[in-house]
């Protein structure tokens, strides 16, 4: 009732009908062991989730998201640099993100934004690279995935 999904309506001839899209995952997180990644991937495949967006937060995670999207038919990628990591951002990394954005199944620029709660990166660096990545998304006609904390 209400906003709940009717599980019977979500089944067709005894099989679970996949109807959900997870718009923000980090199966690309290097904190997972290969066994944990395999378990996570299996759990997604056994769930009602039809598609996921594997969201990059630095260059290595963006590269892994693109790789995940190439290997997993239900996976799409977002590429970008999180505000925590803008302290290490360079023009070279920016250009690599630009190239990754042109790969098949990359659908967004992100996770980008501002985080003035933790301040892991200088506020001006965060603003500068947030703007640059927004311009990149505009240039490529792509949506953005925003991280914002204490940034209003």
């Amino acid at each position: 009732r209400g906003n709940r999904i009717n599980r019977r309506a979500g089944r067709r001839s005894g099989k679970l009908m996949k109807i959900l899209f997870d718009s923000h995952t980090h199966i690309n997180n290097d904190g997972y062991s290969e066994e944990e990644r395999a378990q996570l991937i299996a759990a997604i495949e056994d769930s009602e989730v039809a598609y996921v967006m594997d969201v990059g937060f630095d260059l290595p995670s963006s590269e892994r998201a693109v790789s995940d999207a190439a290997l997993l038919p239900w996976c799409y990628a977002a590429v970008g640099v999180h505000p925590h990591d803008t302290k290490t951002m360079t023009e070279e990394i920016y250009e690599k993100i630009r190239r990754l954005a042109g790969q098949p199944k990359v659908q967004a620029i992100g996770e980008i934004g501002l985080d003035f709660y933790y301040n892991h990166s200088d506020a001006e660096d965060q603003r500068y690279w947030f703007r640059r990545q927004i311009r990149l998304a505009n240039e490529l006609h792509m949506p953005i995935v925003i991280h914002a904390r204490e940034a209003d």
Side-chain angles (χ1 to χ4, degrees):
R1 292 198 174 217
N3 291 331
R4 287 192 211 149
I5 295 172
N6 180 336
R7 293 203 178 260
R8 278 191 214 140
R11 294 185 183 274
R12 207 175 265 165
S13 49
K15 288 190 171 184
L16 186 61
M17 190 170 85
K18 294 181 171 263
I19 59 172
L20 301 175
F21 180 91
D22 188 335
S23 65
H24 195 120
T25 64
H26 289 295
I27 59 176
N28 56 358
N29 192 322
D30 64 1
Y32 293 127
S33 69
E34 285 307 311
E35 181 181 341
E36 289 170 322
R37 269 180 55 82
Q39 290 171 349
L40 177 59
I41 289 167
I44 292 168
E45 290 176 344
D46 290 341
S47 74
E48 292 181 39
V49 176
Y51 300 99
V52 303
M53 180 71 69
D54 199 7
V55 180
F57 48 89
D58 59 11
L59 182 58
S61 66
S62 294
E63 291 169 336
R64 185 107 191 224
V66 171
S67 176
D68 289 344
L71 293 172
L72 303 167
W74 42 261
C75 183
Y76 290 84
V79 297
V81 176
H82 190 282
H84 290 343
D85 295 303
T86 57
K87 65 182 169 277
T88 62
M89 187 74 160
T90 64
E91 286 297 325
E92 182 181 353
I93 291 171
Y94 176 82
E95 288 303 321
K96 288 179 180 180
I97 295 292
R98 173 191 293 281
R99 283 193 293 279
L100 287 172
Q103 294 298 306
K105 295 179 75 180
V106 175
Q107 298 295 308
I109 302 297
E111 179 172 1
I112 64 175
L114 302 170
D115 190 316
F116 301 142
Y117 180 80
Y118 287 110
N119 289 312
H120 290 303
S121 292
D122 177 74
E124 285 309 309
D125 286 343
Q126 290 185 50
R127 287 184 187 99
Y128 176 78
W129 290 110
F130 185 36
R131 287 184 184 109
R132 290 287 304 275
Q133 292 178 96
I134 290 170
R135 287 186 195 110
L136 176 61
N138 285 337
E139 177 185 321
L140 300 175
H141 305 287
M142 295 179 114
I144 56 178
V145 178
I146 297 176
H147 172 94
R149 186 158 191 194
E150 297 294 326
D152 13 329

